[in-house]
Amino acid sequence: DAGVIQSPRHEVTEMGQEVTLRCKPISGHDYLFWYRQTMMQGLELLVYFNNKAVMDDSGMPKDRFSAKMPNASFSTLKIQPSEPRDSAVYFCASSRDSPGYTFGSGTRLTVV
Amino acid sequence: GQSLEQPSEVTAVEGAIVQINCTYQTSGFYGLSWYQQHDGGAPTFLSYNALDGLEETGRFSSFLSRSDSYGYLLLQELQMKDSASYFCAVEGTGGFKTIFGAGTRLFVKA
């Protein structure tokens, strides 16, 4: 199993630009999570899906962030327009209906 | 809401035993997890406690007391490669989601 796959690994963009982060969960995992990690805030849950449906997006700034899961093997997190405060490492994680998540390698986003 | 407290840093000597504590406040509680994260890496799942008591996995053990809203991670026979950040995390009400503590940075010295 290749694990949770995220792309790109690094992204540098200018303020105001659109950014799309991608995630492929482990096959058979029904839950998919998007976390953001910064030194100040730690690991914050942005949104999570169960069987492709959004279950909780209360941690996501909805004016600029959107998350989709069009099929069981693909999810995107889009930021439009991006701002410098969005600079962080974004992790995707997946899980079956059991504790313990498998995290992807993350996308390091820098907004200048 | 939910909150977790754990020490920000712990230093220990190679070969020693170290305990990382975690206290939590949640509106509901299903279990306490522990994750390890090396610098530049992704969090890796270590253990999960849903019931009171000690769970052992090799050199690592995790303990939970639901009545005290308290748990700890015990690392034995410390190795240099154990230098990392360790996060406790709670799964509470509101669905199948996990909230992470701020993390404890463990430094293992030779």
Side-chain angles (χ1 to χ4, degrees):
Chain A
D1 196 330
V4 176
I5 300 171
Q6 291 187 246
S7 65
R9 287 299 307 275
H10 302 274
E11 177 81 38
V12 180
T13 191
E14 290 185 347
M15 183 172 62
Q17 296 298 305
E18 178 179 293
V19 176
T20 299
L21 311 181
R22 297 172 176 79
C23 175
K24 176 179 167 56
I26 291 173
S27 177
H29 281 194
D30 298 329
Y31 291 85
L32 185 141
F33 307 83
W34 284 99
Y35 282 86
R36 175 171 64 182
Q37 186 174 37
T38 61
M39 290 294 293
M40 294 299 295
Q41 299 297 327
L43 273 162
E44 301 173 274
L45 177 65
L46 298 173
V47 59
Y48 85 95
F49 297 83
N50 178 23
N51 288 322
K52 303 179 292 180
V54 173
M55 300 304 292
D56 189 324
D57 61 1
S58 59
M60 194 169 72
K62 295 185 196 52
D63 57 336
R64 298 183 301 107
F65 284 60
S66 62
K68 290 189 165 94
M69 192 163 187
N71 58 63
S73 59
F74 183 65
S75 176
T76 59
L77 181 68
K78 188 172 293 188
I79 309 172
Q80 166 63 20
S82 57
E83 296 181 0
R85 60 180 167 151
D86 301 329
S87 297
V89 180
Y90 289 80
F91 287 105
C92 174
S94 70
S95 176
R96 288 184 194 273
D97 188 12
S98 61
Y101 299 170
T102 301
F103 281 78
S105 299
T107 295
R108 183 174 293 278
L109 174 64
T110 303
V111 183
V112 298
Chain B
Q2 294 167 308
S3 66
L4 299 96
E5 285 193 20
Q6 52 182 130
S8 58
E9 281 186 13
V10 173
T11 300
V13 178
E14 198 174 15
I17 298 172
V18 72
Q19 179 174 312
I20 299 173
N21 299 319
C22 174
T23 56
Y24 59 86
Q25 282 188 311
T26 71
S27 54
F29 179 82
Y30 290 103
L32 184 72
S33 300
W34 289 92
Y35 287 77
Q36 178 192 61
Q37 185 180 29
H38 287 99
D39 284 349
T44 303
F45 174 71
L46 293 177
S47 66
Y48 177 76
N49 295 67
L51 303 175
D52 287 358
L54 192 69
E55 296 279 344
E56 297 181 59
T57 309
R59 294 188 297 114
F60 293 2
S61 302
S62 56
F63 172 83
L64 176 65
S65 169
R66 294 174 70 109
S67 60
D68 295 323
S69 297
Y70 163 76
Y72 65 72
L73 180 70
L74 192 73
L75 296 84
Q76 300 178 306
E77 300 171 19
L78 279 174
Q79 301 175 9
M80 300 298 289
K81 66 178 181 179
D82 297 329
S83 292
S85 293
Y86 292 84
F87 296 87
C88 61
V90 293
E91 181 186 309
T93 55
F96 186 73
K97 68 179 185 181
T98 297
I99 305 301
F100 285 78
T104 298
R105 194 165 178 86
L106 171 64
F107 296 95
V108 180
K109 302 189 301 185

